Amino acid sequence: MSLQDQARAILMVNDRGGYTLPTDGLYPFQWNWDASVTALGWMTFDQKRAWEELRWLFKGQWRGGPNDGFVAQINFHAESDTYFPGPDEWGTDGAIGTQGIGTRTSSISQPPLHATMVRWMWMRACKASSSTDEQDLAKKEVMELLPRLVAHHRWWYRARDPKNTGLVVNIHPWETGMDNSPAWDEPLRHVPETTRPYARRDLGHVDASMRPPKSFYDRVVYLMDFNRAQGFDPEKILRTCPYQVNDIGIISILQRGSVDLIALCEEFGLVTEAREMAQRVQLTRASVNALWSPVWHQYVSRNAITGQLLDVPTSAGLLGAYAGFDGDVGSTIRHWLAETPYGLPSTRSTYVGFEPLRYWRGPVWQHINMLISVGLQDQGHNIEALEIRRRSEQLFSVAGFHEYYDPLSGKGLGGKTFSWTAATYLHWIADWKKK
Ligand code: GLC
């Protein structure tokens, strides 16, 4: 079977009739940023199904109250006992904003990739190769999605940057999507370990050497419970949450999302919304300079409570070009590429906390490679952009569609037959090869 057919088959096997599991067993629900990347993949061979993915994601969007516009990290569309923490753990049932929404959800968000992915989907639908029906469908879907996307971006700016600093805050490492990055080690040290019992499920699916340790889980469970104890009230949370971080990943992805949202709003006549987002984009563009690391020559995250830079070179800090920020990461990326043979590791290999097998502490994630590469190309760094794509393609063809990969050996790691990895191949590699 060709790689393209294998990738399509993965999406079909993980399809639960409207939404796609990241991979069966390990992740039995719909995840936020996975859904957007996965929709891109569906878009290459079943446009109707692609739009459905986002419809299902936005079913879980909270409405009204201080969290109006919030989109959760997980939508629990169906029951499953193979994952911890499941829907009962988060305590969101009946929370303000959840009345009448179509699904149970977790209480934290994830990097807001949606506006960008919707724009890329829209651009694909506008191509001459799409049928008139597909184009009409896309127009209808974008028109329905736009107010929801605007509400979501407003939630980030309002709930997570109430003082208009330009740099949103996250309140849980899982919210960054880069769960156990070494950049979170310092802020997590200030978080108590929970003493309540709970049972992890991940270790039944994947070897412990590729997953975070117990002390990490004790703290993320504490933060989950803390959020619930505050009634999910953003004001209360920002007053006392022991973990508050300006994550450069979320900040860059939100920024690029807002840029794409402005373009869509302008195209679809939402002039006021476009203007509102433009102000936010300007503010972030100016503020993000505070997150430049002179040590690593890239952007890094910051502890929002102490104001200290979390001076750890992670791949999130290479998204500056993707976000359209002024700092030039081109030459830094050339160093990264010289140091590790397979794609861009999630943490630079020369950093003391680099672990090639353990989750976000070293392994390569293909959708991050795609975002960084696209961003580089936008800024004219074509050689580096193509080199990242070449190495990603090599990983796909040698190791298949894993959750992540060892940057030193190229071995596939974590969950197998992974949806966003397959979708990244379909959108970014398979199509490009045809040209
Ligand atoms: C893990 C990843 C997160 C992803 C989820 C589902 O929790 O860290 O980024 O969204 O798995 O794939």
Side-chain angles (χ1 to χ4, degrees), residues 30-33 35-36 53-63 67-75 97 101 103 105-114 145 147-156 158 160 175:
Q30 186 185 37
W31 261 257
N32 177 324
W33 67 329
S36 285
E53 191 72 34
L54 295 174
R55 274 179 177 265
W56 277 75
L57 179 70
F58 279 90
K59 267 190 191 192
Q61 184 170 39
W62 293 21
R63 291 188 214 126
N67 284 307
D68 182 57
F70 167 80
V71 179
Q73 155 233 21
I74 310 175
N75 277 344
I101 67 169
T103 182
T105 75
S106 68
S107 70
I108 53 170
S109 196
Q110 257 191 336
L113 267 181
H114 325 103
L145 277 167
R148 290 175 161 256
L149 292 168
V150 170
H152 186 44
H153 282 232
R154 280 183 180 149
W155 173 81
W156 270 106
R158 186 186 66 242
R160 297 309 182 76
E175 201 155 52

Side-chain angles (χ1 to χ4, degrees), residues 22 27 31-34 73 83 110 174 176-179 211 359-360 365 367 403 418 420:
Y27 301 114
W31 261 257
N32 177 324
W33 67 329
D34 297 58
Q73 155 233 21
Y83 180 83
Q110 257 191 336
W174 284 344
T176 68
M178 304 188 180
D179 305 14
R211 299 289 305 179
Y359 219 32
W360 289 95
W365 297 70
H367 71 294
E403 185 176 8
F418 224 81
W420 64 2

Side-chain angles (χ1 to χ4, degrees), residues 357-395:
L357 300 188
R358 198 182 297 279
Y359 219 32
W360 289 95
R361 303 180 84 87
V364 178
W365 297 70
Q366 294 278 38
H367 71 294
I368 302 289
N369 278 2
M370 171 174 74
L371 302 181
I372 294 173
S373 172
V374 168
L376 286 171
Q377 211 152 10
D378 290 350
Q379 278 197 2
H381 290 296
N382 288 334
I383 294 176
E384 294 76 18
L386 291 178
E387 181 57 19
I388 295 170
R389 180 149 60 182
R390 190 188 67 73
R391 294 191 192 186
S392 292
E393 187 179 354
Q394 196 185 1
L395 277 183

Side-chain angles (χ1 to χ4, degrees), residues 82-85 198-204 208 211-218 221:
T82 65
Y83 180 83
F84 172 85
Y198 64 91
R200 282 173 75 168
R201 305 285 170 153
D202 54 326
L203 301 180
R211 299 289 305 179
K214 178 171 183 304
S215 58
F216 173 85
Y217 258 79
D218 285 349
V221 169

